[in-house]
Every structure is written in C-alpha cells, then in structure tokens.
C-alpha cells in the first residue's frame, strides 16, 4: 500500500464521522455516517431507518471525511471509493463504534453496518488555510 494511502488512513482515524455518497434510482445522495478503519477496510454504521443501506449494498460508493471545521491551520480531506457491502460486525467491532445515537430524525437509531473495500484512496491537503468565520450577527 503506497505511503499516501497509509497517511490517508491515519488521518481518517482522527475523525469519527464522514459522508457516504452513491446514487439511488440514478439520483445522487449523501448521508452522514460513523466510520472505523479495520484491517485497511472502512466499516460504516448508519441508521437502518433511512433505508440507504439497500441502495449502498453492492454499489460503488464514495466515502469522504475531513477536518474542515476543526480550526486547524492545515486542512485535509480523504476520500475512499469502493464497493460497499452490508455486513454483520463482530461484538468486538460493534464495541469499537461506541454508543449509538439515541434518535435519528426523531425515531430510535437502528444501526446497520457496511464495509467498503477501497479501490481508490484520495488525499487532499491544504496548508496554512485562513480561519473562516461565519458571517452572522450576534
């Protein structure tokens, strides 16, 4: 595995959430999801009630995570592209995800898990990024 892939995996492990994107009935969609890196593969936990896992299972997806709102001077973005599969994690893997959210859109969070076997890993790194302040009045 090239050095950039190792760096991308190391950066991805610094943040617990990202976004998975795919298409559903030929229309693109993106959803926030919890992730872990396990044995060089990405494992995701998302809410079953969204029903996105059915569209994602067996599909080529893009998963992106970053530190854009961290306030750090250097900003990175990592994208994994690969085929997603619904999986049942081991009890130890479930434990690594930590506590599930209580609710998702007002209903109890029901976890479903996907594994992405990365085919492409992309790392973008911006150095000395100016601090962004939201334009709003107090």
């Amino acid at each position: 595995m090239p050095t950039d892939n190792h760096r991308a995996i190391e950066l991805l492990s610094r943040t617990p959430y990202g976004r998975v994107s795919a298409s559903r009935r030929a229309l693109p969609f993106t959803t926030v999801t919890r992730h872990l890196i396990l044995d060089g593969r990405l494992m995701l936990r998302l809410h079953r009630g969204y029903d996105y896992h059915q569209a994602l299972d067996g599909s080529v997806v893009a998963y992106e995570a970053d530190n854009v709102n961290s306030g750090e001077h250097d900003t990175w973005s990592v994208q994994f592209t690969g085929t997603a599969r619904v999986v049942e994690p081991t009890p130890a893997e479930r434990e690594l995800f930590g506590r599930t959210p209580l609710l998702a859109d007002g209903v109890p969070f029901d976890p479903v898990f996907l594994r992405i076997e990365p085919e492409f890993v992309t790392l973008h790194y911006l150095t000395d990024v100016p601090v962004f302040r939201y334009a709003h009045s107090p």
Side-chain angles (χ1 to χ4, degrees):
M1 188 178 282
T3 304
D4 280 351
N5 285 7
H6 288 295
R7 178 72 176 140
I9 288 169
E10 187 269 327
L11 289 170
L12 199 59
S13 68
R14 292 183 185 184
T15 184
Y17 284 86
R19 292 153 293 283
V20 64
S21 299
S23 65
R24 187 177 195 177
R25 297 185 196 115
L27 298 172
F29 73 93
T30 300
T31 190
V32 173
T33 180
R34 172 86 167 90
H35 69 261
L36 293 175
I37 300 288
L38 300 169
D39 299 322
R41 291 184 220 117
L42 195 61
M43 187 176 286
L44 309 180
R45 179 185 71 194
L46 59 152
H47 176 53
R48 184 182 309 273
Y50 294 152
D51 208 27
Y52 292 151
H53 64 286
Q54 291 184 8
L56 295 168
D57 190 29
S59 296
V60 173
V61 302
Y63 186 79
E64 190 271 342
D66 57 54
N67 73 335
V68 171
N69 291 319
S70 69
E72 295 181 26
H73 290 286
D74 296 339
T75 298
W76 55 264
S77 172
V78 172
Q79 184 173 16
F80 272 47
T81 304
T83 303
R85 296 281 181 209
V86 171
V87 295
E88 185 56 42
T90 66
E93 290 169 337
R94 275 184 180 266
E95 185 77 20
L96 290 171
F97 275 100
R99 187 180 68 76
T100 60
L102 181 62
L103 300 174
D105 294 337
V107 299
F109 187 94
D110 181 16
V112 63
F113 299 86
L114 292 124
R115 180 170 284 131
I116 300 174
E117 189 74 43
E119 295 174 33
F120 302 103
V121 178
T122 306
L123 168 62
H124 294 291
Y125 202 84
L126 301 174
T127 303
D128 197 22
V129 176
V131 175
F132 176 75
R133 302 270 188 246
Y134 292 101
H136 68 325
S137 350

